């Protein structure tokens, strides 16, 4: 929709070929239905890409300011919540409605329930023929804005990757990102439902690949929550090449190891009369402390003061560096985005035009760019869509003249 609006504003005749029964369904699930449009705190670290400089090269041309101006123009009043930008009513449906209204106002033709099967160069060589379930469409320019394979029920089923590959583009293996991690261990069934502040680090061998801190959710199959989502793409890519991955969780991130040991020693002096099953009450979630005590060989019915020193060391290690072997991620259906996609080396960052096929533009999650949580993936959608649409619209009109 962003690409179509910008192309139409440049004077081009624009047609959207949409394979769902309505436009923009995926927007409704963003920001838990509140649509976190963008984030004022934007840096290089917010995006992951094999070509590390590519995302910021794009965002310098159409960034947060331009995005806020775009939404202001179509009628969205925004508000800032500690850098996270939302529509004022915090309703994703309001954003979608205004985008649709602008698409209508700009005279864009929208074709729904239309499956794109193939894109070919026109016989004249001056445009494209798009073969669909509803017949052929001709156009001077084509913008691929088909999404990734994440959450296919919203419309992004991975078909765009196939179209790009058939046109000659290299597609780096798409994998789930911003997704839950599945882990070994029977104790996870006992921990299901626990939410706690924690630091999650991912390792492959001795190398720490990534870490993040915040509210972690423990599930019957492994770990979830924003910190897990932020590091999950590294697990996906490492597991895909058959390398081991382990998660190390610090359940007391407010203290370093020495302070945590001093805290436990002092607590034992003050509360040594308590049974171990109650000793960590008020420090950790009851279900979590029960599992950690058991894994450390400490009986719940023991008095804390009777526990040998080496068991306290084991308990501290479990609290500060709980290890779990990561066996996989949840499916594409449960992922918020994908890592991987069309190789950005084949795309011009100035306008998202293909370096291989002039007149073809590739945008959004189809590209090998994935952002962290916090509005960064929607920002990527607006930036790439608007740049591609503007460029396609201008050049289409020039050729028409």
């Amino acid at each position: 929709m962003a690409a179509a609006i910008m192309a139409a504003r440049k004077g081009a005749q624009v047609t959207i070929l949409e394979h769902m029964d309505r436009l923009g369904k995926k927007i409704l699930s963003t920001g838990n239905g509140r649509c976190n449009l963008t984030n004022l705190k934007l840096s290089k670290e917010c995006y992951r890409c094999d070509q590390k400089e590519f995302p910021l090269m794009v965002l310098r041309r159409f960034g947060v300011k331009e995005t806020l101006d775009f939404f202001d123009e179509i009628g969205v009043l925004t508000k800032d919540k500690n850098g996270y930008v939302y529509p004022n009513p915090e309703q994703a449906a309001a954003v979608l409605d205004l985008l649709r209204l602008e698409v209508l106002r700009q005279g864009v033709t929208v074709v729904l329930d239309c499956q794109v099967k193939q894109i070919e160069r026109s016989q004249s060589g001056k445009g494209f023929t798009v073969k669909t379930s509803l017949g052929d469409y001709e156009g001077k320019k084509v913008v691929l804005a088909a999404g990734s394979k994440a959450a296919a029920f919203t419309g992004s089923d991975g078909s765009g990757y196939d179209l790009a590959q058939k046109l000659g583009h290299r597609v780096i293996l798409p994998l789930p990102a911003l997704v839950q991690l599945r882990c070994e261990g029977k104790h996870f069934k006992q921990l299901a439902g626990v939410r706690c502040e924690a630091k999650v680090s991912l390792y492959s061998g001795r190398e720490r690949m990534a870490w993040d801190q915040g509210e972690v959710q423990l599930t019957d199959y492994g770990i979830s929550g924003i910190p897990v989502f932020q590091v999950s793409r590294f697990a996906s890519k490492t597991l895909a090449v058959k390398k081991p991955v382990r998660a190390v969780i610090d359940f007391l991130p407010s203290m370093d190891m020495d302070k945590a040991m001093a805290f436990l020693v002092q607590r034992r002096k003050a509360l040594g009369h308590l049974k171990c099953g109650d000793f960590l009450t008020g420090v950790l979630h009851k279900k979590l402390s029960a599992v950690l005590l058991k894994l450390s060989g400490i009986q719940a019915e023991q008095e804390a003061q009777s526990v040998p020193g080496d068991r306290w060391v084991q308990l501290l290690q479990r609290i500060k560096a709980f290890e779990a072997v990561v066996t996989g991620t949840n499916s594409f259906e449960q992922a918020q985005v994908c890592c991987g996609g069309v190789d950005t080396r084949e795309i011009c960052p100035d306008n998202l035009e293909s370096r291989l096929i002039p007149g073809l533009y590739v945008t959004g999650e189809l590209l090998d760019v994935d952002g962290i949580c916090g509005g960064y993936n929607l920002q990527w959608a607006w930036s790439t869509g608007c740049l591609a649409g503007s460029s396609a619209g201008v050049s289409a009109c020039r050729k028409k003249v």
Side-chain angles (χ1 to χ4, degrees), residues 39-277:
N39 201 304
L40 302 180
K41 300 172 183 177
L42 194 152
S43 66
K44 181 180 178 180
E45 290 68 34
C46 299
Y47 292 92
R48 286 80 178 258
C49 175
D50 277 9
Q51 189 184 5
K52 292 182 179 180
E53 300 301 322
F54 185 85
L56 280 192
M57 291 168 70
V58 172
L59 292 163
R60 288 189 192 107
R61 298 187 66 83
F62 197 101
V64 175
K65 180 186 179 301
E66 291 78 11
T67 296
L68 294 177
D69 289 344
F70 173 81
F71 281 105
D72 180 60
E73 289 165 3
I74 68 171
V76 179
L77 177 64
T78 58
K79 63 182 176 184
D80 166 20
K81 299 180 74 172
N82 194 31
Y84 295 73
V85 178
Y86 294 90
N88 198 59
E90 297 192 32
Q91 288 183 301
V95 175
L96 178 53
D97 286 345
L98 288 170
L99 282 167
R100 285 176 176 159
L101 288 169
E102 184 64 10
V103 165
L104 182 65
R105 188 175 82 89
Q106 293 296 335
V108 174
T109 299
V110 178
V111 182
L112 301 174
D113 294 311
C114 181
Q115 310 300 318
V116 175
K117 298 178 178 179
Q118 194 168 341
I119 301 170
E120 300 175 347
R121 280 286 198 184
S122 297
Q123 289 185 350
S124 65
K126 296 182 179 179
F128 298 87
T129 299
V130 181
K131 297 182 178 296
T132 81
S133 58
L134 301 178
D136 294 353
Y137 290 82
E138 301 288 333
K140 291 185 172 64
K141 307 289 174 179
V142 169
V143 178
L144 277 180
S148 63
K149 293 178 73 172
F153 69 94
T154 63
S156 51
D157 62 359
S159 56
Y161 297 130
D162 185 52
L163 293 171
Q165 279 186 311
K166 286 179 177 177
L167 287 163
H169 277 281
R170 174 177 178 255
V171 174
I172 296 166
L173 180 65
L175 295 164
L178 299 188
V179 68
Q180 305 86 352
L181 296 180
R182 307 187 74 85
C183 302
E184 281 183 3
K186 295 179 180 179
H187 44 264
F188 279 106
K189 290 187 177 180
Q190 298 170 252
L191 294 170
V194 172
R195 292 171 179 255
C196 58
E197 180 75 13
K199 178 180 176 180
V200 179
S201 300
L202 279 190
Y203 288 84
S204 184
R206 294 184 178 182
E207 178 194 0
R208 185 169 78 166
M209 300 182 291
W211 70 272
D212 201 73
Q213 182 174 323
E215 186 182 78
V216 172
Q217 300 168 30
L218 303 177
T219 71
D220 59 355
Y221 58 78
I223 53 179
S224 183
I226 298 298
V228 175
F229 289 176
Q230 305 288 46
V231 302
S232 60
R233 62 104 63 195
F234 297 97
S236 279
K237 291 183 84 71
T238 304
L239 290 168
V241 293
K242 309 298 183 185
K243 290 185 179 180
V245 176
R246 60 192 168 93
V248 178
I249 307 172
D250 181 353
F251 290 115
L252 205 58
S254 60
M255 304 180 193
D256 63 23
M257 190 68 83
D258 289 340
K259 286 184 179 179
M261 175 57 85
F263 171 77
L264 286 182
V265 169
Q266 182 58 38
R267 191 173 180 85
R268 186 185 179 194
K269 288 179 181 177
L271 301 173
H273 59 280
L274 291 178
K275 291 184 177 180
C276 290

Side-chain angles (χ1 to χ4, degrees), residues 7 12-13 15 119 121 126-128 130 138-144 353 357-361 388-389 391-399:
Q13 290 183 322
T15 299
I119 301 170
R121 280 286 198 184
K126 296 182 179 179
F128 298 87
V130 181
E138 301 288 333
K140 291 185 172 64
K141 307 289 174 179
V142 169
V143 178
L144 277 180
E353 187 173 19
I357 303 169
L360 174 71
Y361 299 79
S391 177
V394 167
S395 54
C397 289
R398 283 175 180 167
K399 287 202 169 186

Side-chain angles (χ1 to χ4, degrees), residues 327-346:
T327 58
T329 71
N330 274 358
S331 67
F332 285 108
E333 199 64 38
Q334 293 169 284
Q336 292 185 18
V337 297
C338 289
C339 55
V342 174
D343 192 337
T344 57
R345 294 170 184 81
E346 299 173 350

Side-chain angles (χ1 to χ4, degrees), residues 358-380:
L360 174 71
Y361 299 79
V362 185
T363 67
E365 285 184 45
L366 269 181
L367 293 161
D368 174 36
V369 176
D370 54 291
I372 62 173
C373 295
Y376 299 102
N377 289 291
L378 275 182
Q379 176 61 64
W380 186 245

